[in-house]
């Protein structure tokens, strides 16, 4: 079945923005693929692009470079590449998305940015703080993640403990306002957050786009797309 058939038969007109670096990389391509599997028309957003978020049905803040620490009142403590143009674009996108209320999915850097946007902070280097886990990149789901059963994530993953990958070297430190922790790893570093105010807003520290062969991680995209569809239909309903 072609991508066009998927869109026309399942979710015609559903458009989800994917915010990412100037050069679209494998992670962003896989996110796009994961959304297309759900019948979505992805719209890629590069740093500096002006977007009317009210025209979107959902927003993905993808992974990438570290968020500059000035965003949470710190100086850089590690040697890293920063992209201030992307920080600015993501802030504007998230500000609009929360104002409109469209569903938001943050992945790795995206989850961290959601936390910073809400007034939280990051641990700039988790490597020396690990006790129960070794710090090494894992594309396979070999990291143990414990979920809050009653959370949106816990319900859709259908298990209290899951396997996930790990590519990050930073993590959420001080939790932002109106957010709740919904998953942690074996060192109790935050692995997922959700909004406490009703909006479908989820941040994942791991990369589900690399795990699309796993039904549980595909359900994250499916749940997100269904939330976007419900939001779109609600906006299309005539006012009573």
């Amino acid at each position: 079945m072609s991508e066009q058939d998927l869109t026309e038969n399942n979710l015609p007109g559903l458009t989800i923005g994917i915010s990412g670096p100037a050069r679209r990389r494998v992670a962003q391509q896989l996110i796009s693929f994961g959304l297309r599997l759900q019948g979505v028309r992805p719209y890629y957003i590069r740093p500096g692009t002006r977007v009317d978020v009210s025209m979107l049905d959902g927003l993905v803040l993808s992974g990438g470079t570290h968020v500059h620490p000035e965003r949470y009142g710190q100086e850089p403590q590690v040697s890293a590449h920063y992209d201030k143009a992307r920080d600015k674009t993501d802030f504007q996108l998230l500000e609009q998305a929360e104002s409109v209320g469209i569903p938001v999915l943050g992945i790795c850097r995206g989850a961290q940015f959601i936390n910073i946007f809400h007034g939280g902070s990051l641990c700039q280097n988790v490597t020396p703080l690990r006790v129960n886990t070794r710090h090494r990149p894992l594309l396979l789901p070999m990291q143990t993640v414990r979920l809050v059963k009653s959370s949106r994530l816990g319900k859709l993953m259908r298990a209290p403990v899951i396997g996930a990958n790990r590519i990050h070297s930073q993590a959420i430190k001080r939790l932002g306002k109106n957010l709740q922790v919904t998953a942690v790893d074996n060192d109790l570093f935050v692995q997922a957050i959700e909004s406490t105010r009703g909006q479908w807003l989820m941040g994942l520290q791991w990369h589900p786009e690399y795990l699309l062969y796993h039904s549980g991680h595909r359900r994250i995209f499916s749940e997100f797309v269904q939330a976007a569809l419900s939001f779109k239909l609600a906006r299309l309903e005539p006012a009573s």
Side-chain angles (χ1 to χ4, degrees):
M1 182 179 289
S2 70
E3 292 176 354
Q4 184 177 2
D5 290 335
L6 280 170
T7 301
E8 290 178 354
N9 292 339
N10 291 334
L11 303 175
L14 196 63
T15 302
I16 290 179
I18 304 173
S19 177
R23 182 178 179 182
R24 187 166 11 191
R25 302 187 183 278
V26 173
Q28 287 77 37
Q29 292 171 353
L30 288 172
I31 292 170
S32 180
F33 176 68
L35 293 174
R36 288 184 185 278
L37 286 176
Q38 303 296 327
V40 167
R41 195 166 51 220
Y43 176 74
Y44 194 67
I45 306 170
R46 291 178 170 81
T49 304
R50 286 186 167 275
V51 177
D52 183 354
V53 175
S54 67
M55 301 299 291
L56 300 175
D57 303 305
L59 174 68
V60 179
L61 300 177
S62 69
T65 58
H66 293 172
V67 181
H68 198 285
E70 68 182 13
R71 287 274 170 181
Y72 48 96
Q74 294 183 16
E75 295 293 329
Q77 299 171 3
V78 296
S79 178
H81 174 68
Y82 300 107
D83 187 344
K84 290 188 177 183
R86 187 177 175 195
D87 292 347
K88 181 178 179 180
T89 297
D90 280 355
F91 185 92
Q92 293 170 343
L93 291 171
L94 189 53
E95 186 175 47
Q96 291 184 64
E98 295 211 7
S99 175
V100 175
I102 65 172
V104 176
L105 175 63
I107 297 176
C108 197
R109 168 200 155 93
Q112 296 169 3
F113 199 90
I114 289 171
N115 186 63
I116 293 168
F117 181 86
H118 283 264
S121 67
L122 303 182
C123 173
Q124 295 189 43
N125 184 12
V126 300
T127 305
L129 303 178
R130 290 195 178 277
V131 176
N132 300 310
T133 59
R134 287 193 297 167
H135 184 73
R136 59 173 181 168
L138 297 169
L139 278 178
L140 295 175
M142 298 174 64
Q143 174 185 220
T144 299
V145 174
R146 304 180 185 279
L147 310 179
V148 175
K149 294 181 181 179
S150 60
S151 67
R152 177 178 284 115
L153 179 64
K155 292 176 181 177
L156 75 90
M157 294 304 287
R158 304 174 187 173
V161 179
I162 63 170
N165 50 30
R166 182 176 66 229
I167 309 176
H168 62 281
S169 61
Q170 298 191 327
I172 290 172
K173 185 176 182 180
R174 184 181 70 251
L175 187 66
K177 297 178 181 178
N178 304 316
L179 298 174
Q180 60 183 343
V181 175
T182 57
V184 297
D185 65 15
N186 283 341
D187 279 316
L188 301 183
F189 290 123
V190 176
Q191 290 295 309
I193 54 175
E194 294 176 16
S195 172
T196 61
R197 305 191 74 177
Q199 179 189 9
W200 201 105
L201 182 142
M202 181 183 295
L204 306 175
Q205 186 57 75
W206 70 91
H207 288 259
E209 70 271 23
Y210 286 107
L211 303 172
L212 292 173
Y213 55 85
H214 188 289
S215 60
H217 296 279
R218 283 200 308 275
R219 281 198 297 273
I220 293 173
F221 287 96
S222 176
E223 172 88 3
F224 170 57
V225 170
Q226 287 302 312
L229 178 60
S230 296
F231 187 84
K232 181 183 183 74
L233 292 177
R235 287 201 288 185
L236 292 175
E237 290 179 355
S240 57

